[in-house]
Amino acid sequence: MKTSSIRLPKTIGSWTRPDSPQIVTSTNIFDYMDGAGELYTGYRFDHLEVYEYTSDTQDDILVELYFMETSDDAFGLLSLDWGGEPVALSPSQENSTTGSNDQFNRALYGQGLLRIWSDELYARVMAYRETPEAKEAVLTIGRAITADQKNLPEPEIMEILTAVIDSEWTLRKDRSSFFRSYLVLNSIYYLSPQNILDLDLSVEAVTAPYEKTNESGDRKRIQFLLVKYIDPESAQQALSHFHDAFLPEYKKGFRVDSATQETRVFEVENGWLEYRLHNSHVAIAFDSPDQESARKIIHKNILNLKEKEKIHER
Amino acid sequence: MKDEKKKLTRRDFIRGTVGATLGASLVGLNWSKAKGATAGSSLVTIVRDKNAMDAAKNVNTDVLKNMLDQTLIKFTGKNSVKDAWLSLVKPSDKIGLVPTPHLNPTHDEVVNAVKSSLIDSGIPEENITNAQGGPEKPKTCTALIALPALKAHWLTGLGTVMKIYVLYTGNARQYHEQNNSKLGETWILPHVKGKTKLVLVDALYPLCDKGPQPDPRYKWAYNGLIAGTDPVAVDTVCLKIIMNKREAMRGEPWPLSPPPLCVEAADKVYGLGTSQMENIKIEHYGWDEGLLL
């Protein structure tokens, strides 16, 4: 179990915390949060520390510190909902809270709940009843949590997503999420109750919609999914599994012994689906209104991926 | 060995074939025969009062009592609260109240209001118990009053009426994801079947996103009580309210994910009631702003 270096204040205004936290691990997380533990064990979860600040005059403040194995996992938990007011908890975070630059926010506040991605830590600090004093206390706790923590970059796979494609398809960055588990994927974009993409803690995955709005105001949306498997063989197997489950009426038309394939396109109930295998990556575009749009989105993102691979090779 | 069993996918939902797939896979029912088993109109009442909670979300128990009285009278068509209760339960009944225990739990004020109302109507206090919990809880009860809170759920889509008895199975987790379609089973357990005399949903302060942990940004003051005796009809109305709130909140379609299969399956697989809005008669009383129907 990771050692905590977080130092929370003993008292804040009228609130006081206990001397030691409640410790929750993957073995007892379902006792702590029945029906919710799967979210955290769907990422690389180490342990959780829980403090409850109590006050004689105000409602309690709950502090949950989720220690994850990597910063990517902590990012993933925050990425499930980019809503709320961005807040800067340290001077180094100020550049990432404007909402208009390319960086993802690291702390979001709304109606008493503060959510934080800070290094390998994901934190939830929640005032059971929001008051001006409670909000200030929540933010003070947030600043204590992020003090001396590193601001590590977002997961590499997030950087592959192209923001605008052909001046018409725009990435909904505010709906982009990093994950490893099919349960988490299903809570973002429902695919299947079975794990038809062979997702597990060894993969890195991102999904996000691309949107375009025509002159009459109609909005079209394509859901893009990119998964990086541990090796090309795993990616091929996963794509084969996906094809069998999702497209059973179509022949695969790809060789399972070849790591890189041309894009394959299929007409399905609500438009077009395209997928492509590239080394350890599987890219899929769902719900496309036409073949060309899906092809563009996959092509541009795979091109981006290849450029990143070249940079890594240098 | 290759898994030859057809896997349910998103495409089944788009095609509208999920019910048939589930019907066959869950209980082997002939889909077309199961469908329509509950034809007819089900009454669902919604009573709302703008003052049910104050700005700090404290429940006004006087207002709540009036809302409960109105619910009982309007739903049963009786002239008094006492007559209303006695049309639903007998004084000799051992009555179990079943509130939602976690994640946006049923307000204690709602449970207490129902208990007081029953006592005032002549039901002995010792005959009323909180029956939420494990499989033993409902066994001693002859009547159950389901008191779920209105909420979404991250593993079942909706976590309101059909999910209220899940702890009676002794293994709640087996009903997550696709298996949320099997929640209808919990209503036909031998120690549960036929005992539910009223479903009364605490819709004072619902949660429209699935969590898994409560996020206050997705709670709102609906200030309502939703009642019926057809659990599927009540859940269908609850689902509609949640879906409409989600779309209003984001200004774009925001479907529940995973989809709440349990509601349609409760109708078409288990025959517990109707999930067709055209077969549900909704009567609304009181505050109508933000009704979401």
Side-chain angles (χ1 to χ4, degrees):
Chain A
M1 196 165 74
K2 290 190 175 192
T3 307
S4 171
S5 60
I6 306 297
R7 298 285 175 264
L8 297 179
K10 179 72 177 170
T11 60
I12 306 164
S14 63
W15 287 272
T16 304
R17 68 163 173 82
D19 290 333
S20 56
Q22 178 185 355
I23 304 290
V24 179
T25 66
S26 56
T27 58
N28 64 348
I29 193 166
F30 294 101
D31 297 331
Y32 176 70
M33 52 175 96
D34 186 25
E38 293 94 336
L39 172 65
Y40 299 99
T41 58
Y43 289 92
R44 295 176 183 172
F45 172 72
D46 187 86
H47 77 281
L48 162 63
E49 296 184 5
V50 184
Y51 293 90
E52 192 122 6
Y53 280 85
T54 57
S55 163
D56 291 337
T57 55
Q58 302 252 0
D59 283 27
D60 294 353
I61 296 174
L62 176 70
V63 180
E64 294 177 318
L65 306 174
Y66 295 87
F67 292 83
M68 311 303 290
E69 289 183 20
T70 72
S71 173
D72 289 0
D73 293 279
F75 171 90
L77 287 163
L78 185 64
S79 77
L80 297 179
D81 187 344
W82 291 111
E85 169 198 350
V87 288
L89 297 172
S90 63
S92 62
Q93 289 185 3
E94 281 174 2
N95 290 336
S96 64
T97 57
T98 62
S100 58
N101 58 29
D102 288 338
Q103 290 181 290
F104 284 96
N105 293 307
R106 292 175 185 269
L108 296 158
Y109 179 86
Q111 296 185 24
L113 175 63
L114 176 66
R115 296 172 297 123
I116 304 168
W117 156 48
S118 180
D119 201 344
E120 295 167 357
L121 184 76
Y122 172 70
R124 294 176 88 251
V125 184
M126 187 173 76
Y128 284 103
R129 193 180 302 257
E130 187 189 35
T131 62
E133 297 79 14
K135 179 176 180 179
E136 187 49 44
V138 165
L139 294 176
T140 300
I141 293 167
R143 285 189 279 272
I145 289 169
T146 55
D148 304 324
Q149 292 275 99
K150 288 177 281 190
N151 285 333
L152 294 177
E154 67 204 45
E156 272 188 26
I157 197 166
M158 303 300 293
E159 296 172 8
I160 292 165
L161 297 181
T162 307
V164 180
I165 294 174
D166 267 14
S167 308
E168 56 176 2
W169 289 98
T170 304
L171 176 72
R172 286 289 301 268
K173 193 174 176 183
D174 62 330
R175 300 275 183 269
S176 61
S177 302
F178 174 86
F179 60 97
R180 305 181 193 275
S181 147
Y182 80 99
L183 289 177
V184 176
L185 171 61
N186 279 346
S187 76
I188 306 163
Y189 180 81
Y190 189 76
L191 196 58
S192 169
Q194 285 93 19
N195 185 11
I196 62 174
L197 273 165
D198 297 350
L199 301 179
D200 61 29
L201 294 180
S202 71
V203 310
E204 299 167 31
V206 58
T207 189
Y210 279 90
E211 285 184 354
K212 76 169 178 182
T213 306
N214 63 21
E215 288 173 357
S216 59
D218 290 339
R219 190 158 49 184
K220 301 287 185 188
R221 175 180 281 201
I222 296 174
Q223 190 74 22
F224 179 66
L225 173 69
L226 181 65
V227 186
K228 181 185 180 186
Y229 291 89
I230 197 163
D231 53 39
E233 293 73 27
S234 300
Q236 290 165 32
Q237 283 176 18
L239 184 57
S240 178
H241 186 192
F242 169 78
H243 184 111
D244 289 342
F246 207 83
L247 302 160
E249 73 274 37
Y250 287 105
K251 289 183 178 174
K252 282 198 189 79
F254 67 83
R255 304 195 316 275
V256 293
D257 58 346
S258 178
T260 300
Q261 308 286 340
E262 290 305 306
T263 303
R264 293 270 291 138
V265 58
F266 306 91
E267 187 169 16
V268 290
E269 288 73 14
N270 59 339
W272 297 86
L273 179 151
E274 297 207 17
Y275 66 57
R276 183 162 172 181
L277 180 67
H278 175 76
N279 295 330
S280 299
H281 290 78
V282 170
I284 309 176
F286 295 94
D287 308 332
S288 179
D290 54 73
Q291 296 181 58
E292 191 55 28
S293 297
R295 183 164 296 133
K296 282 179 189 172
I297 286 171
I298 288 195
H299 175 74
K300 182 61 185 167
N301 281 299
I302 292 291
L303 206 60
N304 221 4
L305 170 62
K306 288 178 177 176
E307 286 171 8
K308 301 277 181 202
E309 288 174 338
K310 281 182 192 167
I311 293 169
H312 275 292
E313 286 167 7
R314 283 177 200 154
Chain B
M1 193 175 77
K2 190 175 176 183
D3 179 11
E4 296 294 346
K5 189 178 174 185
K6 183 187 182 311
K7 290 186 166 63
L8 192 68
T9 72
R10 180 183 194 84
R11 293 181 64 193
D12 292 293
F13 293 91
I14 295 165
R15 282 196 294 258
T17 56
V18 64
T21 307
L22 285 170
S25 65
L26 292 180
V27 290
L29 287 180
N30 180 316
W31 178 252
S32 60
K33 284 184 182 171
K35 191 176 177 181
T38 57
S41 181
S42 292
L43 174 63
V44 174
T45 62
I46 303 175
V47 174
R48 298 174 72 217
D49 191 311
K50 192 176 180 178
N51 299 311
M53 293 189 300
D54 64 18
K57 308 298 181 290
N58 296 304
V59 176
N60 182 321
T61 52
D62 292 334
V63 172
L64 178 64
K65 180 183 182 307
N66 289 337
M67 290 168 65
L68 178 59
D69 290 353
Q70 193 175 11
T71 294
L72 289 161
I73 289 169
K74 296 294 185 185
F75 180 74
T76 61
K78 300 295 181 185
N79 291 323
S80 69
V81 172
K82 180 177 181 178
D83 288 347
W85 276 124
L86 293 178
S87 72
L88 297 168
V89 297
K90 301 188 293 287
S92 59
D93 272 330
K94 180 81 173 172
I95 299 171
L97 307 183
V98 193
T100 294
H102 318 292
L103 179 64
N104 207 38
T106 304
H107 287 86
D108 289 342
E109 291 90 342
V110 171
V111 180
N112 293 338
V114 170
K115 184 174 180 181
S116 297
S117 184
L118 282 164
I119 293 168
D120 291 346
S121 299
I123 308 295
E125 184 172 0
E126 60 272 23
N127 283 6
I128 306 167
T129 182
N130 184 325
Q132 183 56 276
E136 297 303 313
K137 288 278 188 176
K139 288 183 179 171
T140 56
C141 297
T142 58
L144 296 172
I145 297 175
L147 299 172
L150 179 52
K151 64 175 182 179
H153 189 280
W154 95 287
L155 288 171
T156 60
L158 187 69
T160 307
V161 182
M162 295 319 301
K163 197 168 184 292
I164 190 70
Y165 295 147
V166 71
L167 294 178
Y168 292 167
T169 66
N171 185 4
R173 289 176 66 194
Q174 70 177 313
Y175 292 95
H176 289 161
E177 275 285 307
Q178 178 187 357
N179 288 338
N180 88 64
S181 58
K182 295 164 68 176
L183 281 167
E185 284 179 0
T186 64
W187 285 71
I188 53 174
L189 292 168
H191 46 290
V192 176
K193 188 177 180 180
K195 289 185 180 178
T196 304
K197 306 305 178 188
L198 181 68
V199 177
L200 180 72
V201 176
D202 172 357
L204 294 173
Y205 197 31
L207 175 66
C208 73
D209 194 29
K210 53 197 176 291
Q213 290 157 293
D215 184 331
R217 289 176 302 138
Y218 300 123
K219 295 182 72 168
W220 85 105
Y222 188 74
N223 291 332
L225 293 176
I226 304 171
T229 50
D230 174 342
V232 189
V234 177
D235 231 8
T236 300
V237 171
C238 288
L239 179 58
K240 186 83 175 168
I241 292 168
I242 290 278
M243 294 300 297
N244 286 342
K245 182 63 183 178
R246 288 165 67 86
E247 187 156 346
M249 194 172 265
R250 280 204 172 167
E252 61 182 6
W254 186 20
L256 282 169
S257 190
L261 305 174
C262 56
V263 182
E264 188 180 349
D267 173 356
K268 296 180 176 173
V269 179
Y270 297 99
L272 296 172
T274 182
S275 62
Q276 305 300 308
M277 283 298 279
E278 62 269 27
N279 292 333
I280 300 170
K281 183 182 178 190
I282 300 172
E283 289 186 1
H284 166 243
Y285 304 95
W287 189 40
D288 61 4
E289 186 184 327
L291 182 62
L292 296 168
L293 286 169

